[in-house]
Amino acid sequence: MGERKVALITGAAGDIGAATAQAFAAAGLNVVITDRRGDALDEVAARLAATSAAQGAAGAAHVMAHACDQTDPEATGQLFDAIRDRFGRLDCAFLNAGYGRYGALIDLPFDQWKKHVEVNLNGGFLMAQGAARAMRDAGRGGAIVMNASTAATHVCDLLGAYAASKSGVRMLAKSLASELGVHRIRVNLILPGVIETAMTRSLIDDPAVRADALTNTPVGRLGQPADIARMAVFLCDETAAGYITGAEILIDGGQTLHGYPRWFSADYAQPGAEWTPHSQD
């Protein structure tokens, strides 16, 4: 496939992953998209191919879709074999796939706890390891961007399992940044705040919750998938970001300046109080 660089995007069937795949393709990279949801992944691939084709033959990026469960070591190994066979290189990876469910830790079934750890931390490790090995073996260096959450650094009630697993991703990214420097592989972490996606829509579709979120966001709007996509592309650009590694970058409109987001709240003055969606009302 010549000297065109290759980007891997995990969780590509979701809102942020699909937007980031589009951004990498628009930047002129060949794109590998993966997700456990094969049907949804095919839809994203079709949209990417149509957009790339519209740019003309000279500018069209090649799109490879490969369904993969990132918690399965064999499946992730097959993904990186397929990337090598198709493109012969991997230059950057946006490790975005994740899993999150709301629920009080005191009532959380253990299988739900395990799924958060399996998908977010173990799966993130397998993808990062596979990407790093591919970059090391090619000898060109590379860049890995891991998607965590502001919940990795700030308490977020009823998202404890998600927060704990994403906190692990945060330290994983820093450890990788230190160890992979000898291979000229940069690793950075992004911490999104409230982004309008399918995961957050169930809450921010409530007018009171949306109003509260906007009130607590200094830039006066909620985040969009494109905000994350642009940062991922920037961090993978060797010219723009070649001296950045081990960094963690908040993309939250300033929400964490005041300890936001706070999705749920309870009246601590009342023993046994129920948790309810947090709003100004």
Side-chain angles (χ1 to χ4, degrees), residues 65-90:
H66 185 106
C68 176
D69 176 356
Q70 71 172 29
T71 69
D72 181 346
E74 183 177 353
T76 57
Q78 292 170 350
L79 167 67
F80 289 104
D81 287 345
I83 294 171
R84 183 193 62 235
D85 293 344
R86 173 74 182 273
F87 294 112
R89 64 187 296 164
L90 179 65

Side-chain angles (χ1 to χ4, degrees), residues 34-107:
T34 187
D35 198 288
R36 63 179 178 80
R37 298 168 290 172
D39 292 344
L41 189 65
D42 289 341
E43 293 177 7
V44 173
R47 293 198 302 270
L48 284 171
T51 302
S52 295
Q55 297 175 351
H62 293 274
V63 179
M64 171 182 155
H66 185 106
C68 176
D69 176 356
Q70 71 172 29
T71 69
D72 181 346
E74 183 177 353
T76 57
Q78 292 170 350
L79 167 67
F80 289 104
D81 287 345
I83 294 171
R84 183 193 62 235
D85 293 344
R86 173 74 182 273
F87 294 112
R89 64 187 296 164
L90 179 65
D91 300 276
C92 49
F94 177 52
L95 305 186
N96 163 70
Y99 174 81
R101 292 293 184 273
Y102 304 107
L105 288 170
I106 195 170
D107 298 317

Side-chain angles (χ1 to χ4, degrees), residues 102-175:
Y102 304 107
L105 288 170
I106 195 170
D107 298 317
L108 190 73
F110 186 56
D111 63 345
Q112 278 293 305
W113 171 268
K114 287 196 298 182
K115 187 166 184 179
H116 282 88
V117 174
E118 278 290 306
V119 175
N120 297 335
L121 185 53
N122 295 347
F125 165 74
L126 288 172
M127 284 294 186
Q129 184 184 63
R133 287 174 173 175
M135 294 172 187
R136 176 200 62 190
D137 293 348
R140 298 185 181 91
I144 298 172
V145 177
M146 304 191 77
N147 191 7
S149 166
T150 54
T153 56
H154 295 74
V155 170
C156 197
D157 292 316
L158 302 197
L159 270 176
Y162 179 78
S165 60
K166 287 295 190 177
S167 183
V169 170
R170 180 188 182 212
M171 186 50 66
L172 173 62
K174 288 181 174 292
S175 298

